[in-house]
Amino acid sequence: MPTHQTASTTSMLRVMNERAVFGEIFRLGPVSRPELAQATGLSKPTISVALANLGRAGLVREVGLRAGPAGRSALLYEARPEAGWVLAVDIGRAFVRLVLANLAGTVVSRIDDPSGSRNPADLLDQVTGLADRLTAEVGIGRADVTLAVFGTPGIHDKETGALHLAPNLPGWDLPGAVDRFSAVSPSPFLVENDVDLAAVGEATYGLGRGVAHFAYVSIGTGTGMGIVIDGKLYRGSRGCAGEISYLPIGEGDPLQDDPAAARRGMFETVASADGIVAAAQRLGWAGATSAKEVFDAARAGEPVARRAVEVEVNHLAHALAAVTAVLDLELIVLGGGVGVQGADLLIGPVQDRLRHLVALQPPRIEVSTLGADAVRIGAVAVGVTAARDLVLDRTVAASG
């Protein structure tokens, strides 16, 4: 075998070993060499070489001793959280929410700001300014961010760089629109559907931990669903899985009665915050202005508000019946502004309706414990995994 091939193979094995050791250190926390050898299946000498290389690169550090049998002590190692940074951005209709997390996934700084504009240039200026404030708080700059993750409505078309199915973000459906995020992050960045990220957040830190088959259903300004099957996010053939806005559930014929329904989706026009207000107005409460107002009135026993909530329950139950029949889920996590604010009025009645609408045992329905942080938390979970690979790849490239 030629020498250069042998060298290449040796380098590849070294990288694989270091990646395995680095990953186990994050998973296990402060850990000893024998524990790493047992977890990875690598020999102790190989572990020692990997730890030495990772230490020289500033990715791993010694953190003390653990007492062992017969008075022996084992040296412990942990990953340096400051070896990388993840910027997570949730771009919603009403708010822009950012967090900065270190490589351990610990959030070190956060900020929420009312959305200043739907105009792409103004939105980017706002997010850039917020990112500058966040990074300055921990003494770094935007260029020091290892990876940024942007959660947005709609679907990112990777071929054209456009955002599809995002009517609340006008102008972002043009080719190359997503490339504008490079103005916020000079480092690599990812663009993900916001509800998909919320589902990842639930799977990692919320009610979906340990649940193999569940969905995160967001009802708010818009509607959407993130699907987890066999413990993994399910995207569909074109990344459009979970776009429940377009379920044919609602009032009348959207193609004839409501042109906006064809654009936003029939289900979204009746299930979203605007849909609940419209139902109350249709039933006689002309002055209804917000879903929260309708929910509060329903809790107080106001008849029209209660009927409006019943309309919402009916639409939501029919949508979830379709989801249940197709996916046979164990759990549905209800999120979004409407889902969280109205959970006490929606979940019980929807669960009762499902028992009559589907022959299958319906999934349990629970309100998200992550609240408004769901998208950002999911973005951190996605970003930290990718950022660890990036810092390791850069280290290998520099040493090579």
Side-chain angles (χ1 to χ4, degrees), residues 86-88 99-102 104-107 149 197 205 375-386:
V86 173
L87 178 68
V99 298
L100 185 67
N102 61 29
T106 302
V107 172
V149 182
L197 287 177
Y205 301 106
V375 176
R376 286 185 292 190
I377 289 173
V380 169
V382 169
V384 163
T385 299

Side-chain angles (χ1 to χ4, degrees), residues 93 152-155 165-168 193-196 216-226 240-247 249 261 263-276 312 315-316 319-320 334-339:
R93 179 175 178 179
T152 72
I155 305 300
L165 307 181
N168 293 327
N193 175 265
D194 52 2
V195 183
D196 280 350
Y216 178 95
V217 175
S218 177
I219 308 291
T221 302
T223 61
M225 179 171 66
C240 298
E243 289 294 325
I244 58 172
S245 299
Y246 297 94
L247 285 174
I249 295 169
R263 179 176 59 89
R264 293 185 61 186
M266 187 174 184
F267 179 58
E268 183 170 300
T269 62
V270 296
S272 63
D274 290 345
I276 294 173
E312 174 73 359
H315 292 317
L316 184 55
L320 296 187
L334 195 60
V338 170

Side-chain angles (χ1 to χ4, degrees), residues 76-91:
L76 299 179
Y77 298 84
E78 71 173 9
R80 285 188 62 251
E82 303 81 11
W85 300 96
V86 173
L87 178 68
V89 184
D90 173 14
I91 298 176

Side-chain angles (χ1 to χ4, degrees), residues 124-147:
L124 289 171
D125 286 344
Q126 180 184 14
V127 175
T128 300
L130 294 173
D132 280 333
R133 287 169 57 184
L134 276 187
T135 52
E137 287 181 8
V138 295
I140 64 172
R142 280 186 292 120
D144 298 313
V145 171
T146 308
L147 181 74

Side-chain angles (χ1 to χ4, degrees), residues 145-228:
V145 171
T146 308
L147 181 74
V149 182
F150 297 91
T152 72
I155 305 300
H156 176 202
D157 186 331
K158 293 180 175 59
E159 292 186 3
T160 66
L163 276 179
H164 300 310
L165 307 181
N168 293 327
L169 291 178
W172 289 88
D173 57 344
L174 300 176
V178 166
D179 296 338
R180 296 169 175 163
F181 283 126
S182 62
V184 180
S185 173
S187 304
F189 64 87
L190 303 174
V191 179
E192 297 281 0
N193 175 265
D194 52 2
V195 183
D196 280 350
L197 287 177
V200 173
E202 287 290 345
T204 309
Y205 301 106
L207 297 173
R209 282 180 295 180
V211 180
H213 309 284
F214 79 92
Y216 178 95
V217 175
S218 177
I219 308 291
T221 302
T223 61
M225 179 171 66
I227 306 167
V228 173

